[in-house]
């Protein structure tokens, strides 16, 4: 009597399916068995900024469109692998930024000029890392301006310059017709324009006059083609009265 052969096909299929299932569990793309928790930030983190999932590895694209790898090590983001490139350095904004405003890391320190009671003065704005965010830190300016009438005591341009940025030497400009009059005479005046008579030293009045802007741009006026610009300065009452007629 002939015996039937045992059918092995079904168990064989089950074994192969189980092996394939196990292989798929080990080789799933994007799975990193060293990561215990946490997730990658949507935006590329700053080097050295804090993270809360050690051994977490994240991939990004840098400013040169190159891949860059970050890993969380001892609570801080470190760059594991990056390609070198030479992107243009961040540029300083044209206008002085507000203190505490966000900025691009690596921009460094930018120089600006601020009008103060002592006249125009240089001021620095530095881009620094604060609490994982790059922010502008604008340095304060302190000055103790001399009284405005001190400028009027200078008899020469050199004496005026010696009083510092709070004073300026002005020269009459080219006034036309019955419009704004020219500055009555050369002299040393406060750098800040006056807004009312009360802001002027005793014995003077606030008046809009035409001055020669070329004197300020270069000693000999060679780099300036203009001959007149308006400015509010404190002038003797006689000059102000004549100018207003």
């Amino acid at each position: 009597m002939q015996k039937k052969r045992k059918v092995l096909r079904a168990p064989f299929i089950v074994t192969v399916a189980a092996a394939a299932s196990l292989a798929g569990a080990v080789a799933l793309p994007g799975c990193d068995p060293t990561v215990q928790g946490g997730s990658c930030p949507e935006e590329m983190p700053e080097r050295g900024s804090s993270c809360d999932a050690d051994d977490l590895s994240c991939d990004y694209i840098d400013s040169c469109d190159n891949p860059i790898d970050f890993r969380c090590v001892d609570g801080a983001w470190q760059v594991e692998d990056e390609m070198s490139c030479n992107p243009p350095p961040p540029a300083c904004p044209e206008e002085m930024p507000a203190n505490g405003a966000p900025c691009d890391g690596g921009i460094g320190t930018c120089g600006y000029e601020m009008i103060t009671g002592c006249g125009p003065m240089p001021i620095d704005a530095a881009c620094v890392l604060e609490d994982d965010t790059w922010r502008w830190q604008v340095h304060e300016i302190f000055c103790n301006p001399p009284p405005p009438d001190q400028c009027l005591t200078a008899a020469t341009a050199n004496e005026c310059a010696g009083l510092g940025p709070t004073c300026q030497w002005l020269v009459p400009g080219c006034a036309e017709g019955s419009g704004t009059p020219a500055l009555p005479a050369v002299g040393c005046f406060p750098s800040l324009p006056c807004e009312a008579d009360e802001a002027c030293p005793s014995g003077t009045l606030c008046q809009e006059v035409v001055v020669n802007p070329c004197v300020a741009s270069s000693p000999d006026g060679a780099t300036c083609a203009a001959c007149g610009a308006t400015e509010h300065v404190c002038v003797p009452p006689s000059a102000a009265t004549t100018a207003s007629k």
Side-chain angles (χ1 to χ4, degrees), residues 75-101:
W77 286 111
Q78 295 184 9
V79 176
E80 282 198 314
D81 186 25
E82 67 175 327
M83 299 177 64
S84 63
C85 69
N86 294 311
C92 292
E94 294 185 5
E95 300 292 334
M96 186 177 68
N99 188 53

Side-chain angles (χ1 to χ4, degrees), residues 221-235:
T223 62
C224 179
C227 67
T230 59
E231 187 163 342
H232 284 81
V233 298
C234 301
V235 298

